[in-house]
Amino acid sequence: TGAPKGVIHAHDTVLDTVQSTINRQGISSQDVIHLALPVGHTFGYLYGVRCALQAGGTLVMQESWDPYRMAELVEANGVTVTLGTAAFIIDILDASNNVHRALNNIWLFTQSGDALPKSVVERAIDVLPFRISRALGMTEFGHITSTDADTPRQRLIDSVGSPQEEINVVIADEGGNPLPPNQTGRILVKGPAVCAGYLVEDGT
């Protein structure tokens, strides 16, 4: 969706954004995290690989996305947490009832990376056995907002939640001035998860 970019993170910025999600969602060492996203992308790496490591849990990796293979891995390994894009949710909804039953032990699905249509969110809440945490993120700062166990149904349907505790988010005009609610503007983010900078063509 844009020009390639080289985003530089320090060890602490990566630790902070992942720990923020672990704390807010209640992920623990008892969880088994299923990952079918690429680990070369920050979504899969941070909230799959790093999340499992930092929480002290178990990681189960799937080579390529398929809801039926996911169901097999979930049943065989006792998966409790998973993550993916809107397409994953749509594919799971369209899969058989056997797949839905196989996912009964999952309590959390983090959805990010793309938009989840309102009608799909409503159906997923009503049909699927797990709670969906919708999150807004970028390579520059990981997930800066999310929904959680306390998010009302309507906010889960029409938003990507509220800012993480450690993050300050402001919607501003082109001059950096904060805008009132319900206005379109630039997203300004401040907090410990924000990247250290960019790697540009001349190597700086």
Side-chain angles (χ1 to χ4, degrees):
T1 58
K5 56 188 175 184
V7 176
I8 302 171
H9 275 283
H11 187 57
D12 287 349
T13 59
V14 171
L15 286 173
D16 285 335
T17 189
V18 174
Q19 194 63 46
S20 179
T21 289
I22 289 171
N23 294 344
R24 183 168 185 178
Q25 303 303 333
I27 298 168
S28 76
S29 60
Q30 301 302 308
D31 283 305
V32 179
I33 299 176
H34 163 264
L35 177 64
L37 291 166
V39 297
H41 189 278
T42 53
F43 189 12
Y45 174 62
L46 295 181
Y47 302 101
V49 178
R50 289 294 296 251
C51 186
L53 289 171
Q54 282 182 230
T58 301
L59 180 66
V60 175
M61 301 180 71
Q62 182 175 333
E63 287 187 357
S64 60
W65 169 245
D66 176 82
Y68 293 90
R69 178 58 179 152
M70 175 192 181
E72 293 173 358
L73 291 171
V74 168
E75 286 194 308
N77 297 280
V79 169
T80 58
V81 173
T82 190
L83 60 154
T85 63
F88 285 28
I89 296 286
I90 293 168
D91 286 347
I92 292 170
L93 284 169
D94 291 342
S96 69
N97 289 333
N98 287 338
V99 168
H100 295 178
R101 284 192 290 271
L103 306 183
N104 277 336
N105 286 333
I106 295 178
W107 62 270
L108 176 65
F109 187 113
T110 299
Q111 180 270 319
S112 190
D114 55 2
L116 194 57
K118 178 179 178 180
S119 60
V120 177
V121 181
E122 292 175 328
R123 185 178 169 212
I125 293 171
D126 293 336
V127 171
L128 299 179
F130 44 74
R131 172 170 65 82
I132 297 174
S133 171
R134 303 183 67 190
L136 171 66
M138 289 180 66
T139 307
E140 284 84 345
F141 39 60
H143 290 162
I144 56 165
T145 75
S146 67
T147 61
D148 55 35
D150 296 325
T151 303
R153 177 188 173 97
Q154 192 55 45
R155 293 297 292 153
L156 180 60
I157 292 169
D158 63 19
S159 80
V160 287
S162 57
Q164 298 293 104
E165 182 179 355
E166 306 84 353
I167 297 292
N168 184 33
V169 180
V170 174
I171 308 302
D173 62 20
E174 290 300 320
N177 303 302
L179 291 169
N182 302 314
Q183 298 296 309
T184 300
R186 300 171 61 204
I187 303 174
L188 304 183
V189 179
K190 183 178 181 180
V194 176
C195 68
Y198 294 94
L199 182 66
V200 296
E201 289 184 3
D202 65 2
T204 61

